[in-house]
Amino acid sequence: MFEGGCLCGEVRYRVDGEPLAGMACHCRDCQYLSGGGEANVVVVPRQTLSVTAGKDRVFRSTAESGTEVWRSFCPTCGTPLFAGNAKSSEFVAVKAGSLDDPALFTRQGHVWVSSAPAWHLMEPGLPTAEKNPSFL
């Protein structure tokens, strides 16, 4: 179990379960939404995530693959909180920066490395995927 929330404290959440993966996404959309860097996320089963205070706001877009993607954030302070897509609706990506204890996050791989600028750092030896791995 772990908890997190936004910068202003309006939105809080809890995950009751074990993370499935810790990933860094280098897609162009994540670059826009992070201010340039990759998005570091903890992938969890959707049913383990519950918003315990406040209400996040959702932005929807269409990914390069044609799949609908959604990202949520605090409507007051703009902190990115969660992301997901229609193809893999049973999973949610929790933004590592929103964790109460971000030290719980461990990168296990990198996705969408085909979109990464040269200055995105990637640890040697970690798995990479040019786009989404098959389970996403």
Side-chain angles (χ1 to χ4, degrees), residues 40 52 69 71 111 120 136:
N40 291 291
T52 58
V69 176
R71 292 173 177 84
V111 298
H120 274 197
L136 294 175

Side-chain angles (χ1 to χ4, degrees), residues 1-104:
M1 195 268 298
F2 59 90
E3 296 180 313
C6 64
L7 177 63
C8 72
E10 181 178 327
V11 180
R12 298 284 307 153
Y13 65 85
R14 182 177 67 231
V15 174
D16 290 308
E18 292 296 317
L20 301 173
M23 307 296 290
C25 180
H26 299 268
C27 79
R28 191 66 181 114
D29 290 350
C30 284
Q31 292 174 42
Y32 277 111
L33 295 167
S34 72
E38 70 278 356
N40 291 291
V41 300
V42 179
V43 180
V44 301
R46 186 180 190 109
Q47 74 272 10
T48 65
L49 173 68
S50 57
V51 175
T52 58
K55 182 163 176 40
D56 55 320
R57 186 166 177 194
V58 176
F59 173 75
R60 296 180 190 284
S61 61
T62 302
E64 180 182 306
S65 66
T67 301
E68 181 183 82
V69 176
W70 61 269
R71 292 173 177 84
S72 73
F73 55 95
C74 172
T76 301
C77 68
T79 299
L81 298 167
F82 319 116
N85 69 62
K87 182 180 173 191
S88 302
S89 59
E90 67 273 22
F91 303 114
V92 174
V94 177
K95 304 294 181 157
S98 71
L99 300 172
D100 284 349
D101 182 2
L104 295 173

Side-chain angles (χ1 to χ4, degrees), residues 81-136:
L81 298 167
F82 319 116
N85 69 62
K87 182 180 173 191
S88 302
S89 59
E90 67 273 22
F91 303 114
V92 174
V94 177
K95 304 294 181 157
S98 71
L99 300 172
D100 284 349
D101 182 2
L104 295 173
F105 173 74
T106 301
R107 265 195 212 155
Q108 297 167 307
H110 296 266
V111 298
W112 282 94
V113 298
S114 60
S115 299
W119 48 267
H120 274 197
L121 301 176
M122 292 182 229
E123 302 86 344
L126 285 185
T128 62
E130 288 296 305
K131 296 190 176 194
N132 268 347
S134 60
F135 68 89
L136 294 175

